[in-house]
Amino acid sequence: MADNRPIGVFDSGLGGLTVVKELLNALPDEDIVYFGDTDRVPYGTKSKETIRKFARQDEAFLLSKNVKLIVAACGTVSSVASDIGNQLPVPYVEVVSHAGKAAAMATKNGKIGVIGTNATINSGEHRRYILEYLPTAEVYCQSCTLFVPLVETGWVDENDPVVYETVKKYLTPLMEAQVDTLILGCTHYPVLSAAIKRVMGEKVTLINAGISTAEAVKKALAENGLLNQSGQKATCEYFVSDITPSFSKIAALLLGKAPQESSVQQVDIEKI
Ligand code: DGL
């Protein structure tokens, strides 16, 4: 059995493109429809009710595009609205559980750090999954509110004093706790990896949820007989709720290449 419908991926903004990058590597034959809620980003500082309402709208939009599987490429949505995702009429993959398992497998000293948005850290979901896989783990959590605005502004260079000092301020407690593994619990954070390593030390293992999530998507497609076997060149369509002036620059940073202009469209997500 094969299925040529696209995979739907969404995030509060452009951070989910770090997951798309890993999906393109792991599943080069799959078409992708991406939605980034660039008009309403960030989600991580909003109330649980608002994040859940936004998640429902984002998922409804992707379903209207006839997707065969939905990826919540957002740590915040994955943490507070996965029960909604699990009721969708198509398979749903989130980014938290796979990261928790990967960290539990990677740690040597049993000390794991988690960084994410306020909503993600307050949910305690990463801690719950880590302890499920490694009950003896010591888990240290830290919300890093300024990381998303830094990334959405394109400020990620580890040699930029503003970037370095911001990262240092948030991560010093985790460094002092001597975590040997750190979950990047927000999909915006992988592009800050160099700055994070500079603060935490080269030896710390960074868990990029996009990599384990792409593997989970591959498995879910195979198990449900949904892999695309048409042999045609895969396409990527990008929808955003606002095409901001810096869109191309930030998208290129997160995706590793600029999306083709013709593949980007604006949608009114409130009207879906
Ligand atoms: N990429 C989103 C996440 O993983 C960013 C959060 C936000 O919009 O605040 O949580």
Side-chain angles (χ1 to χ4, degrees):
M1 220 163 76
D3 193 317
N4 303 341
R5 289 175 298 163
I7 298 171
V9 184
F10 75 98
D11 178 41
S12 58
L14 301 179
L17 294 175
T18 61
V19 178
V20 172
K21 187 177 171 186
E22 303 306 334
L23 285 169
L24 293 173
N25 281 336
L27 291 157
D29 295 331
E30 297 296 333
D31 293 334
I32 292 178
V33 174
Y34 181 83
F35 173 68
D37 202 355
T38 48
D39 187 31
R40 303 189 295 194
V41 69
Y43 283 9
T45 48
K46 299 198 166 67
S47 69
K48 199 171 163 181
E49 291 67 35
T50 298
I51 298 165
R52 288 169 71 80
K53 182 180 97 181
F54 289 175
R56 274 195 200 93
Q57 290 172 332
D58 301 347
E59 286 156 0
F61 170 71
L62 290 176
L63 289 174
S64 77
K65 294 288 165 195
N66 194 28
V67 298
K68 60 183 172 185
L69 178 147
I70 288 184
V71 183
C74 175
T76 307
V77 168
S78 300
S79 298
V80 307
S82 275
D83 56 322
I84 299 171
N86 285 327
Q87 288 165 23
L88 292 171
V90 295
Y92 167 80
V93 179
E94 41 69 43
V95 292
V96 172
S97 60
H98 313 293
K101 184 175 179 187
M105 300 296 155
T107 184
K108 295 202 169 57
N109 71 1
K111 296 181 182 188
I112 298 173
V114 182
I115 54 175
T117 65
N118 283 346
T120 297
I121 297 303
N122 289 341
S123 77
E125 284 294 271
H126 284 94
R127 180 189 297 277
R128 186 167 75 78
Y129 281 112
I130 292 167
L131 294 177
E132 196 175 305
Y133 295 110
L134 185 65
T136 56
E138 285 175 45
V139 186
Y140 299 86
C141 301
Q142 176 70 51
S143 60
C144 302
T145 310
L146 290 179
F147 283 13
V148 169
L150 274 183
V151 173
E152 296 263 343
T153 314
W155 289 14
V156 298
D157 182 354
E158 76 271 25
N159 296 314
D160 179 331
V162 175
V163 174
Y164 177 71
E165 289 301 330
T166 307
V167 171
K168 190 168 153 205
K169 186 160 174 83
Y170 282 117
L171 299 193
T172 297
L174 302 182
M175 192 188 59
E176 287 174 355
Q178 296 180 329
V179 305
D180 71 350
T181 304
L182 179 63
I183 295 181
L184 308 180
C186 167
T187 51
H188 281 71
Y189 296 177
V191 291
L192 288 169
S193 291
I196 293 171
K197 282 241 173 194
R198 200 175 148 196
V199 172
M200 297 296 294
E202 277 302 318
K203 286 203 183 122
V204 75
T205 303
L206 301 185
I207 305 292
N208 172 353
I211 296 172
S212 42
T213 301
E215 285 309 313
V217 171
K218 195 171 181 177
K219 189 160 169 262
L221 291 179
E223 281 173 2
N224 291 285
L226 295 175
L227 284 163
N228 185 345
Q229 290 163 348
S230 67
Q232 283 171 359
K233 196 171 165 358
T235 61
C236 242
E237 276 185 288
Y238 301 94
F239 294 88
V240 286
S241 46
D242 186 28
I243 302 182
T244 55
S246 58
F247 171 80
S248 292
K249 186 178 132 210
I250 307 303
L253 178 71
L254 291 151
L255 191 61
K257 60 179 181 194
Q260 269 185 331
E261 220 172 281
S262 58
S263 65
V264 184
Q265 289 174 55
Q266 187 163 335
V267 287
D268 187 345
I269 195 70
E270 302 274 358
K271 293 219 172 100
I272 299 299

